[in-house]
Amino acid sequence: MYYTDTIAAIATAAGNSGIGIIRISGSDSIIIADKIIKSKTGRSIGLCDKDSHTISYGFVFDENVCIDEVLVFLYRAPKSYTAEDSVEISCHGGMYVLKRVLDTVIKNGARPAEPGEFTKRAFENGRIDLTQSEAVMDMISSENEFSRKNSIEQLRGSVKDMIISLRGKILDECAYIEAALDDPEHYDLDGYTSVLDKKITDMIKDADELIDSSKNARYLKEGINAAIIGRPNAGKSSLLNMLLGYERAIVTKEEGTTRDLIEEKISLDGIVLNLTDTAGIRSSDNEAERIGIKKARDIAKTSDLILAVLDGSEKLNENDIEILSSVSRERSLILINKNDIDNRITAEDIKKYSEADIISISSKTGDGFNELKDKIKEMFYTDKISDNKQIYLTNLRQLNSFINARDSLLLVKNAIENKMTEDVFTVDLMDAYEELGRIIGESTDDALADKIFKDFCMGK
Amino acid sequence: MMKISDYDIAVVGAGHAGCEAALACARLNKKTIVFTVSINSIALMPCNPNIGGSSKGHLVRELDAIGGEMGKNIDRTFIQSKMLNVSKGPAVHSLRAQADKNDYSSSMRQVLEKQKNLDIKQAEITEIITDENNKICGVKTATGIEYEVDAVILCTGVYLKARCLCGESITYTGPNGLQAANSLSASLMKHGIEIQRFKTGTPARISFDSIDFSKMEPQYGDERITPFSFSTDPDDIQKEQVKCYLTYTNEETHNIIRNNLHRSPIYAGVIEGTGPRYCPSIEDKVVKFADKERHQVFLEPEGIHTDEWYIDGMSSSLPEDVQIKMYRSVPGLENCRIVRNAYAIEYDCIKGKQLKNTLEFKNISGLFSAGQSNGSSGYEEAAAQGLIAGINAVRLLDKKDPVTVDRSEGYIGVLIDDLTTKDGFEPYRMMTSRAEYRLLLRQDNADLRLRKKGYEAGLISKEEMDRVNEKEIAIEKEIVRLQKTNVSPSEKLNQILKDHKSTPLTTGITLEELIKRPELTYADLRDIDMNRPGLSDDVIEQVNIGIKYRGYIEREKRQVDHFKKLEKMMIPGEIDYDDVKSIRIEARQKLKSFKPESIGQASRIQGVSPADIQVLIVYIKRILNERIQ
């Protein structure tokens, strides 16, 4: 069998299963699996020597950190779906764990699969009958559409700005070099290399920061802190249960440090939320309750996201009004619960006190849940829910492209250090430019020529 | 009506594309006739008086490697020569020569006249004639004679419905007042060919004795002249060279232009055609680059038997009275007399996407098109296309596989691919940045890359081919020797290293490793390389570059492998894109309009995504399989 590069992807549907499978295919798939899957004590389990169609037990290690306890299914070419050497790693579900395992696989030599790529390989290697080609074509285009939408959705505004700016800087340098090479009598490159060296160093520094924060993003490790607040019996606990019901893969479950706070960790399509259910807020003479209410207010102040719950079957009361007036517009959502019973609160009623977005839900029937989920995702990806204003890439394929772009910039720096000539700088600079374009969904085409003509007065 | 059936192939136009096309056909033993509106305009250089320059120099060397005439002709007629960018990487070294325009044209005319199988005819072609299968069968002249031929190559340059603009004055002629070809466009459109309108321009020519050169900086040619042609012996062309001069525009020049912009046909909206951005008129430069205080102006002689000088950098379509003031504001030109005014020219050209990479029309068998009429600009771009069209017209008649150049093989390939797979909205000029495998496509190795194409076509002799093969072997052998030769630190070696500011050795190292160091070259190590064979300069050059740029060259070679894979996947001509349901609508429309020949070409069409390409690959596999069954 000839050599093929090795691709990997999460094979199970996102977000709603107890276990998840990472699929790896290509010439190095077994070697990569062997590198990262070991015994509990970190010793090799000898995957490279195992027969085809065997199942092994082990632990996934990212360097020295154990990520998950897994089963490994091994397939040797041509007896696999793609007819290449393949490995399937069965992990414990939850997007966070799956993503970390996939990340580790990629770090060790695989690349993220393109949409439909496993099926395409199966087709190319004769594993899928030509009569099924219609289905293959449909799958490639629909998966592509899904992944395109998904990745655009997952690109946060601040990151996009950063990438557009970095890309612009790269093109500026390319255009300058090319203008000077094309028209040496009008533009010269004397002393340019040291200027470029400095600029590239800055670009690499910025890129490294983004890569670092993407890998260590607090939201990935710890999650977004979200507080559910509302007066007693507004339906806070039932909302919490509804959210938990969606995401059956609970990462951790721990009792609140006081009996008034209950924390749960859930994942909404890869965004981890630390939900805190607080005590009902109302004026109270009871000392214990007063302490609980104060805690609830404090939590609300320090949370990344506030879900303010109202009981829609009753009119607004003074406690509701106090809550509405106190929540910020930017990072809050107002949920009118119990829309299955009655709708006695209108948007106009709320607008008098708060400008935050409003969603009508029923934690009993599940109505409005998708809207709530989409809204939270939207707030996250548009940076409304802040994470210390840190910027990061959340989509693995995008992060991979970004790392490739940074590596190309390192090659430019390397070329400068090795005193290479200017014409080779653009080779790597344009590679970086192209990779960054992949992240924001823009092609290169004639960008460079356009830029040269726009910025430089060329020719006779 | 009289019909003449003496010829196999007709070439329409005898500019730089037409000359190469006609010569290639005749040299490949086809009875060929080349038509020109004026016998005095063969290989005319109506604009700049030079051949080559950045990336254009590459084209000329490639053309020469395949068996074209331009390189030889400029070697015969140049009056100054310079290798540009020598301080930069070898990939962007570019040869440029000033031509004696008159000599260039008459020398090329003589080559055509002496060529066996080739006749020249002064006549305007007004119609192309096709048969019921949409196959070309002849052309018709303005005087009503029909020439029956099996292939036609259109090289109409800027002559189709040409008009020249100089301020408010418009004349309906080609360059230099030559007769325009006003009928052929309609005939082409009747045959379903899509036409568009482009424009370009040229600066004034000024009389020698009215120029004060003392206010300008002289520009000299190279001490050692490099020929364009691989067949020219460098020793034969060393000669005394003319000087060019450099001066600058100033604020006054710019004010004159700004105050008269309303009289420029472009800014007044009279010009319909799209002009090139890279070759802007001085009006464009002043408007677009308003913050630039001055622009360079090069003065170049049109030849040694004429007093006319070309004002490079100041093309214009402003009225004559403004031109006089504008040129006279430039230092050294205070008293200049204009011999010929600057003007802009508008013309019809075809949309390149209608052509295959052989430059044959996709929908009319036997009809080819080459040169500026395909939407390119420049003598060199035109000549390169002419050669490829000529070769392939012959291949078609001989029922042989086409000889084409792809993007990984030469600038000629990049040029033709860009013209045929992109929507060109302005005259296309070659640039080194357009070549994605630039480090492989150097002007110094054009013979190694492309001689075999010329040999395959029949334009290159066995002896010439053998010479290239021997050169290739010598290069490889020498690189292997350098990789295997270890040198240990010695006083002599370390002294050489010190002299070149290179770190002295403490342990042994191969000669290859030493040559890789940026501060050292092959030649520097002569004294410590005891078993060095006697090699020619061009072999040494290749060895040096091959070692120094190894990493980049190998990387590009890997990319080329991937590129070739897609290029070789052909799309069946009768494919029905409406049947490929999973391709997005935008991509489907583009594919239907461009009709790409290969998956590689399809992947370069704007609006066709990688996913569309994957779907297309699966679809083609299926229909090919169905056909086998």
Side-chain angles (χ1 to χ4, degrees):
Chain A
M1 187 101 195
Y2 53 89
Y3 181 86
T4 51
D5 63 342
T6 301
I7 54 174
I10 298 173
T12 39
N16 50 3
S17 76
I19 59 160
I21 291 172
I22 306 277
R23 179 184 275 166
I24 315 172
S25 181
S27 300
D28 291 336
S29 44
I30 297 173
I31 299 169
I32 292 170
D34 185 55
K35 266 199 271 183
I36 63 166
I37 301 167
K38 297 166 186 172
S39 75
K40 195 169 190 174
T41 52
R43 280 200 310 270
S44 166
I45 56 169
L47 283 176
C48 287
D49 305 325
K50 295 262 172 28
D51 289 334
S52 186
H53 294 72
T54 53
I55 302 172
S56 312
Y57 168 78
F59 294 80
V60 175
F61 282 85
D62 179 5
E63 283 159 28
N64 294 319
V65 182
C66 178
I67 305 171
D68 198 13
E69 180 184 18
V70 298
L71 289 176
V72 192
F73 299 70
L74 206 108
Y75 308 87
R76 292 193 182 273
K79 290 158 78 181
S80 73
Y81 177 63
T82 54
E84 302 168 342
D85 281 350
S86 298
V87 172
E88 284 172 8
I89 308 173
S90 178
C91 311
H92 293 93
M95 284 309 284
Y96 175 64
V97 171
L98 280 174
K99 271 190 155 182
R100 282 215 52 190
V101 174
L102 180 58
D103 196 15
T104 311
V105 170
I106 283 162
K107 222 159 68 182
N108 282 277
R111 68 165 170 80
E114 295 295 326
E117 197 169 6
F118 288 101
T119 307
K120 200 194 105 206
R121 286 188 175 199
F123 177 80
E124 283 181 346
N125 295 331
R127 293 286 296 171
I128 294 180
D129 197 283
L130 279 161
T131 54
Q132 289 166 267
S133 60
E134 204 71 43
V136 174
M137 288 189 272
D138 281 349
M139 208 198 68
I140 294 171
S141 67
S142 64
E143 268 197 41
N144 182 61
E145 191 52 22
F146 175 78
S147 119
R148 193 184 60 82
K149 269 200 186 139
N150 207 33
S151 51
I152 291 170
E153 227 173 60
Q154 290 188 14
L155 193 62
R156 295 164 56 121
S158 52
V159 190
K160 193 172 178 187
D161 292 346
M162 187 266 185
I163 289 172
I164 289 172
S165 142
L166 179 58
R167 218 167 161 249
K169 285 181 200 162
I170 292 172
L171 195 62
D172 283 346
E173 298 312 316
C174 283
Y176 184 78
I177 296 172
E178 292 304 319
L181 294 176
D182 196 73
D183 202 352
E185 283 160 335
H186 285 76
Y187 298 97
D188 72 58
L189 291 169
D190 288 347
Y192 170 75
T193 306
S194 56
V195 176
L196 180 69
D197 191 22
K198 205 189 151 295
K199 286 182 179 172
I200 293 286
T201 308
D202 289 348
M203 288 184 208
I204 293 171
K205 197 170 142 263
D206 289 351
D208 279 340
E209 270 170 28
L210 179 60
I211 292 167
D212 194 51
S213 62
S214 300
K215 284 183 170 165
N216 301 304
R218 191 197 75 179
Y219 98 94
L220 264 179
K221 286 194 161 159
E222 296 159 26
I224 294 291
N225 293 327
I228 303 175
I229 62 170
R231 66 179 164 85
N233 296 322
K236 296 185 298 297
S237 300
S238 56
L239 172 70
L240 179 68
N241 285 335
M242 178 180 88
L243 290 169
L244 293 176
Y246 163 74
E247 175 68 33
R248 278 173 297 153
I250 300 167
V251 180
T252 61
K253 180 178 165 114
E254 52 193 55
E255 288 293 308
T257 44
T258 79
R259 63 188 169 96
D260 305 312
L261 300 174
I262 297 174
E263 285 189 3
E264 296 281 359
K265 200 172 256 214
I266 68 159
S267 164
L268 290 180
D269 295 350
I271 304 172
V272 177
L273 285 190
N274 301 314
L275 285 169
T276 308
D277 186 12
T278 63
I281 294 178
R282 61 171 176 182
S283 2
S284 173
D285 295 334
N286 179 308
E287 182 67 13
E289 196 175 342
R290 276 224 309 274
I291 293 169
I293 292 168
K294 185 179 178 307
K295 271 198 192 326
R297 288 199 172 118
D298 290 347
I299 287 291
K301 262 184 220 154
T302 57
S303 290
D304 302 316
L305 171 68
I306 295 166
L307 302 172
V309 185
L310 302 172
D311 181 347
S313 67
E314 293 173 16
K315 286 214 168 281
L316 288 180
N317 70 18
E318 59 191 42
N319 291 323
D320 292 327
I321 291 168
E322 198 209 325
I323 291 165
L324 286 176
S325 320
S326 67
V327 299
S328 91
R329 171 183 138 188
E330 282 284 292
R331 52 189 184 95
S332 304
L333 280 177
I334 293 165
L335 309 175
I336 310 177
N337 198 5
K338 305 189 188 175
N339 73 7
D340 54 312
I341 301 174
D342 204 348
N343 280 311
R344 303 192 62 183
I345 303 174
T346 65
E348 283 69 42
D349 296 337
I350 295 170
K351 288 254 149 59
K352 284 183 219 158
Y353 309 102
S354 170
E355 288 178 53
D357 285 337
I358 302 161
I359 299 170
S360 168
I361 61 161
S362 164
S363 47
K364 194 169 165 196
T365 65
D367 183 53
F369 172 69
N370 280 329
E371 200 188 331
L372 170 61
K373 186 180 78 176
D374 290 345
K375 192 75 206 170
I376 293 174
K377 273 160 65 180
E378 181 203 310
M379 289 172 83
F380 177 71
Y381 290 119
T382 54
D383 293 328
K384 280 192 179 144
I385 309 175
S386 78
D387 184 9
N388 301 326
K389 289 287 166 214
Q390 237 190 3
I391 63 168
Y392 37 77
L393 284 160
T394 52
N395 177 299
L396 198 55
R397 195 177 303 149
Q398 292 174 342
L399 180 58
N400 196 57
S401 285
F402 194 84
I403 291 172
N404 289 343
R406 190 267 324 259
D407 291 348
S408 289
L409 294 177
L410 284 171
L411 288 175
V412 179
K413 200 163 165 53
N414 194 34
I416 294 173
E417 274 158 19
N418 286 324
K419 299 198 176 66
M420 297 300 286
T421 46
E422 296 89 347
D423 52 313
V424 306
F425 300 162
T426 38
V427 176
D428 294 311
L429 282 170
M430 284 312 284
D431 279 355
Y433 182 80
E434 239 169 77
E435 284 285 359
L436 293 176
R438 241 164 248 165
I439 302 173
I440 55 172
E442 269 178 32
S443 62
T444 312
D445 289 318
D446 285 332
L448 180 56
D450 289 345
K451 182 81 182 164
I452 295 171
F453 296 144
K454 187 168 159 283
D455 292 357
F456 298 93
C457 180
M458 307 283 296
K460 304 173 186 293
Chain B
M1 187 198 300
M2 187 176 178
K3 286 190 182 179
I4 294 175
S5 310
D6 300 344
Y7 300 100
D8 301 312
I9 297 174
V11 177
V12 183
H16 303 284
C19 286
E20 296 293 346
L23 285 172
C25 294
R27 285 168 178 169
L28 296 172
N29 298 317
K30 292 288 171 264
K31 294 289 285 176
T32 306
I33 182 160
V34 57
F35 296 98
T36 170
V37 289
S38 163
I39 198 76
N40 294 318
S41 65
I42 292 173
L44 185 74
M45 301 173 82
C47 192
N48 51 314
N50 38 48
I51 296 287
S54 181
S55 76
K56 290 160 171 271
H58 290 68
L59 284 172
V60 180
R61 298 211 114 206
E62 292 183 357
L63 168 116
D64 184 75
I66 302 175
E69 192 63 28
M70 182 174 252
K72 294 187 175 103
N73 203 51
I74 183 66
D75 283 347
R76 286 191 287 263
T77 58
F78 75 95
I79 51 178
Q80 191 208 67
S81 176
K82 195 173 184 176
M83 186 69 86
L84 303 174
N85 275 338
V86 280
S87 64
K88 290 148 195 152
V92 293
H93 291 188
S94 264
L95 192 55
R96 186 190 61 198
Q98 298 300 129
D100 183 298
K101 282 188 172 183
N102 236 330
D103 284 356
Y104 187 91
S105 294
S106 58
S107 164
M108 186 63 95
R109 179 173 165 178
Q110 278 169 32
V111 173
L112 262 63
E113 284 170 347
K114 283 185 194 146
Q115 179 62 47
K116 203 179 114 208
N117 297 326
L118 180 59
D119 290 337
I120 303 167
K121 173 77 184 170
Q122 178 167 303
E124 182 195 338
I125 297 301
T126 52
E127 277 177 48
I128 57 163
I129 305 160
T130 55
D131 68 10
E132 63 284 0
N133 298 321
N134 231 9
K135 185 182 165 308
I136 200 86
C137 50
V139 291
K140 196 171 160 187
T141 66
T143 45
I145 309 289
E146 228 179 274
Y147 285 82
E148 290 184 317
V149 289
D150 296 321
V152 171
I153 305 172
L154 301 172
C155 304
T156 56
V158 296
Y159 286 79
L160 293 186
K161 279 181 145 173
R163 59 171 195 166
C164 293
L165 302 98
C166 178
E168 296 89 354
S169 148
I170 299 176
T171 51
Y172 290 83
T173 68
N176 280 342
L178 286 159
Q179 184 192 328
N182 288 316
S183 308
L184 190 55
S185 296
S187 170
L188 297 179
M189 283 197 269
K190 221 160 69 193
H191 285 85
I193 294 170
E194 281 185 73
I195 302 278
Q196 60 189 337
R197 204 132 173 95
F198 275 0
K199 77 140 264 234
T200 185
T202 194
R205 312 300 195 272
I206 285 171
S207 172
F208 168 76
D209 57 9
S210 69
I211 304 170
D212 181 357
F213 291 109
S214 68
K215 294 185 178 160
M216 305 178 182
E217 302 161 27
Q219 307 281 307
Y220 302 96
D222 286 341
E223 257 173 52
R224 173 79 185 167
I225 298 165
T226 312
F228 270 99
S229 174
F230 291 102
S231 315
T232 306
D233 184 339
D235 290 337
D236 292 347
I237 55 159
Q238 305 303 322
K239 62 174 161 190
E240 192 151 339
Q241 302 175 65
V242 299
K243 278 179 275 189
C244 297
Y245 291 87
L246 170 62
T247 180
Y248 297 91
T249 61
N250 51 40
E251 207 38 51
E252 192 195 338
T253 322
H254 300 180
N255 280 334
I256 294 167
I257 293 166
R258 276 188 213 109
N259 294 337
N260 287 284
L261 269 186
H262 59 284
R263 297 181 63 198
S264 150
I266 302 172
Y267 289 92
V270 180
I271 287 188
E272 307 149 19
T274 317
R277 288 170 296 177
Y278 46 80
C279 191
S281 62
I282 187 69
E283 298 91 282
D284 275 348
K285 291 187 192 179
V286 169
V287 172
K288 274 177 64 188
F289 302 97
D291 51 336
K292 271 198 101 167
E293 285 162 18
R294 61 179 200 174
H295 292 279
Q296 283 175 315
V297 178
F298 287 94
L299 273 79
E300 301 163 2
E302 294 253 305
I304 42 179
H305 307 298
T306 169
D307 269 359
E308 278 187 274
W309 280 63
Y310 177 89
I311 315 300
D312 186 340
M314 288 185 83
S315 87
S316 175
S317 58
L318 285 162
E320 186 173 0
D321 57 307
V322 183
Q323 285 188 24
I324 293 172
K325 276 188 236 157
M326 167 181 97
Y327 286 121
R328 288 189 175 167
S329 69
V330 175
L333 298 181
E334 293 87 349
N335 300 305
C336 75
R337 287 193 314 277
I338 297 179
V339 181
R340 298 185 219 200
N341 290 328
Y343 62 88
I345 182 166
E346 262 193 316
Y347 53 97
D348 282 355
C349 57
I350 67 145
K351 290 190 175 170
K353 66 179 177 186
Q354 303 167 96
L355 302 171
K356 301 178 187 174
N357 62 355
T358 56
L359 298 177
E360 186 186 13
F361 279 86
K362 287 170 184 166
N363 63 349
I364 303 176
S365 169
L367 181 64
F368 292 77
S369 183
Q372 205 150 355
S373 53
N374 284 349
S376 64
S377 82
Y379 312 138
E380 304 82 357
E381 286 88 339
Q385 292 172 62
L387 177 66
I388 296 297
I391 290 173
N392 284 296
V394 175
R395 307 288 290 184
L396 181 76
L397 302 196
D398 291 346
K399 299 193 170 56
K400 285 184 184 158
D401 285 342
V403 172
T404 56
V405 179
D406 73 31
R407 301 186 77 91
S408 69
E409 294 166 334
Y411 279 73
I412 295 179
V414 176
L415 165 72
I416 291 176
D417 189 62
D418 280 346
L419 285 173
T420 55
T421 63
K422 284 181 181 151
D423 274 316
F425 296 111
E426 65 181 345
Y428 178 95
R429 198 201 82 172
M430 201 67 242
M431 294 201 303
T432 63
S433 60
R434 297 193 196 269
E436 44 281 83
Y437 313 114
R438 176 165 79 185
L439 295 170
L440 302 177
L441 309 185
R442 304 183 308 273
Q443 58 93 32
D444 58 71
N445 68 359
D447 55 340
L448 296 167
R449 291 184 277 122
L450 294 170
R451 264 293 198 235
K452 57 183 177 297
K453 301 258 179 199
Y455 181 62
E456 189 189 347
L459 291 170
I460 295 298
S461 69
K462 175 95 175 33
E463 295 73 49
E464 285 169 310
M465 191 64 231
D466 286 346
R467 222 175 303 146
V468 172
N469 288 335
E470 283 159 21
K471 180 173 167 187
E472 198 161 11
I473 292 167
I475 296 162
E476 274 168 36
K477 231 173 108 182
E478 180 62 356
I479 290 180
V480 170
R481 188 186 70 83
L482 295 167
Q483 284 167 339
K484 284 187 178 159
T485 309
N486 267 290
V487 286
S488 37
S490 66
E491 210 171 300
K492 194 173 169 190
L493 174 56
N494 280 342
Q495 189 55 48
I496 292 173
L497 295 181
K498 251 190 248 163
D499 291 346
H500 290 90
K501 297 196 177 67
S502 195
T503 321
L505 294 185
T506 51
T507 58
I509 192 171
T510 66
L511 286 173
E512 187 200 25
E513 287 298 322
L514 279 177
I515 294 170
K516 261 191 190 159
R517 293 186 176 185
E519 61 280 3
L520 294 174
T521 65
Y522 180 84
D524 297 335
L525 301 172
R526 189 187 309 117
D527 292 344
I528 51 118
D529 186 5
M530 295 314 171
N531 301 316
R532 181 171 286 195
L535 295 169
S536 64
D537 288 349
D538 53 343
V539 170
I540 292 171
E541 185 183 17
Q542 294 305 314
V543 169
N544 216 17
I545 294 170
I547 290 175
K548 285 194 178 294
Y549 290 84
R550 153 98 23 95
Y552 288 92
I553 288 172
E554 275 175 5
R555 225 168 86 196
E556 290 200 346
K557 278 188 177 158
R558 279 197 300 276
Q559 290 167 349
V560 167
D561 287 344
H562 177 71
F563 162 85
K564 289 267 191 194
K565 221 170 100 186
L566 295 182
E567 227 52 26
K568 280 188 196 134
M569 283 189 212
M570 303 312 287
I571 301 176
E574 66 280 16
I575 190 168
D576 174 10
Y577 287 106
D578 286 328
D579 191 41
V580 200
K581 303 251 164 21
S582 307
I583 289 184
R584 292 165 315 117
I585 292 167
E586 186 203 355
R588 190 179 307 160
Q589 284 166 346
K590 283 286 173 76
L591 289 165
K592 276 163 124 177
S593 142
F594 277 88
K595 300 185 185 70
E597 297 162 86
S598 68
I599 290 287
Q601 280 184 5
S603 71
R604 289 189 293 278
I605 297 171
Q606 214 169 2
V608 179
S609 74
D612 296 323
I613 291 297
Q614 294 304 341
V615 170
L616 196 54
I617 291 172
V618 173
Y619 181 82
I620 288 167
K621 269 198 180 166
R622 191 186 80 187
I623 57 172
L624 290 181
N625 192 63
E626 280 169 359
R627 210 171 291 171
I628 293 164
Q629 291 168 352

